[in-house]
Amino acid sequence: MRNFAQRRPVLAFYLLALLIVSAVMAYSITMFILRPETAAALGALAQNIMDGPWYINLVTIAVEVGKQPVLSGIFIFAAAPSISALVIASLGGGGGLKRLLSRLHPFGPERSRADALLLYAALLGIYAAGFAVYDFVAGPGVDPFDRLRAIGGGAVFGAVIGLFLDEGGSLEELGWRGFAGPLLQDRMKSAWLAAVLLGIMHWAWHLPREIPAFLGPFDPGIWVANQTVFLILCIALSICAVYAVNRSGGSLWPAIFIHGGTNVWSKAVGDAAAPTLGLIDLRTLLVVVIALMISVFAGRRLGRANPPLRPA
């Protein structure tokens, strides 16, 4: 295992992440069959959160899982990329644990601190602009920010704290953009292609959670259409996140902010805006537009330093 982790760190990371989520799904499906009330509890979890004043995030999921501990696999599933990255790095893969954890510093060594601060300011500006777009689409007389205010402290505070509370951004990104992203860029001539490949990997990693959909009424046409949109989102999100990580000098935090922030757009305020182009929701549309702009202006290096420096 150690030899494999050191020779093929990305493959080892990905296979372990898939194994973890597949094990979670196998356990969950077994519980659904042996204890049908478990399946009802899972549906109730999402419904209880949506019926409440807040939205789906780490805190609201934890509250519901506290009532039904059998659903704690939700956290293991979400954290699988980070768990896998920590295991493979501890075995010496990808430069080791020290290199992986160095990416938790807000200012990476591959760019100046001024570059990173400019990047963070730009991210906050784009994040705020996204809320403005949602407010515009919602139209007059509709307040899309009620769920953000429910946190307490106002909509702005809710939006900022939401960057850290999203289970996708906070639990996954150490694996995706912290571990696999830099290694793929090291091995591929184009950072852009590395980001696209990482986006496809990110999408495919979610597929085990689709298994329950095949156990009930199933429309393959709708499923394929939804998965196609999700694939496009994952690729676009990866381009944005990889570019931002590169511009920060290698810090993981921009990826957490982008992943978490775009999920806040969708989960916290998305209900106030109808889909814009059929199956493509407003969040996906915004992320794709931003990713296209980055691709045009940043080129295939996606802001990576030339030559890239190595963390100490």
Side-chain angles (χ1 to χ4, degrees), residues 130 133-134 137 203 209 225-240 258-259 261-267 269-270 273-293:
V133 172
Y134 271 96
V137 172
W203 164 78
R209 75 178 181 185
N226 287 334
Q227 287 302 308
T228 300
V229 172
F230 186 49
L231 172 60
I232 292 170
L233 171 64
C234 287
I235 292 173
L237 184 71
S238 184
I239 291 172
C240 295
I258 290 172
H259 193 160
T262 55
N263 278 352
V264 172
W265 283 350
S266 178
K267 296 175 183 178
V269 302
T276 55
L277 294 173
L279 289 172
I280 301 180
D281 61 290
L282 183 55
R283 183 263 306 264
T284 299
L285 182 61
L286 289 173
V287 175
V288 167
V289 169
I290 296 170
L292 288 173
M293 293 174 64

Side-chain angles (χ1 to χ4, degrees), residues 28-119:
S28 299
I29 292 171
T30 300
M31 292 300 296
F32 293 166
I33 295 173
L34 298 179
R35 295 173 54 188
E37 66 273 14
T38 305
L42 180 61
L45 180 147
Q47 192 60 51
N48 289 343
I49 294 173
M50 295 310 297
D51 288 344
W54 218 0
Y55 62 94
I56 296 176
N57 58 43
L58 285 170
V59 174
T60 53
I61 293 173
V63 169
E64 293 300 320
V65 168
K67 303 173 185 176
Q68 295 286 345
V70 71
L71 301 178
S72 58
I74 293 173
F75 288 113
I76 300 174
F77 191 115
S82 297
I83 295 171
S84 178
L86 289 168
V87 170
I88 300 303
S90 69
L91 294 173
L97 197 58
K98 183 178 180 180
R99 184 185 184 192
L100 175 62
L101 296 180
S102 73
R103 298 195 174 275
L104 293 173
H105 195 287
F107 305 107
E110 299 172 11
R111 293 275 181 180
S112 70
R113 182 165 295 198
D115 286 339
L117 288 172
L118 183 62
L119 182 278

Side-chain angles (χ1 to χ4, degrees), residues 129-174:
F131 286 116
V133 172
Y134 271 96
D135 192 30
F136 175 79
V137 172
V142 178
D143 182 359
F145 305 126
D146 284 344
R147 290 187 180 272
L148 291 177
R149 292 192 182 93
I151 299 175
V156 173
F157 175 79
V160 172
I161 199 69
L163 291 170
F164 304 93
L165 294 182
D166 180 68
E167 70 281 4
S170 294
L171 297 184
E172 294 180 22
E173 284 300 328
L174 184 65

Side-chain angles (χ1 to χ4, degrees), residues 185 189-192 242 246 298-308:
Q185 290 186 91
K189 294 182 179 179
S190 168
W192 187 88
V242 168
N246 288 343
R300 60 187 235 166
R301 292 200 63 82
L302 285 185
R304 201 171 199 212
N306 188 16

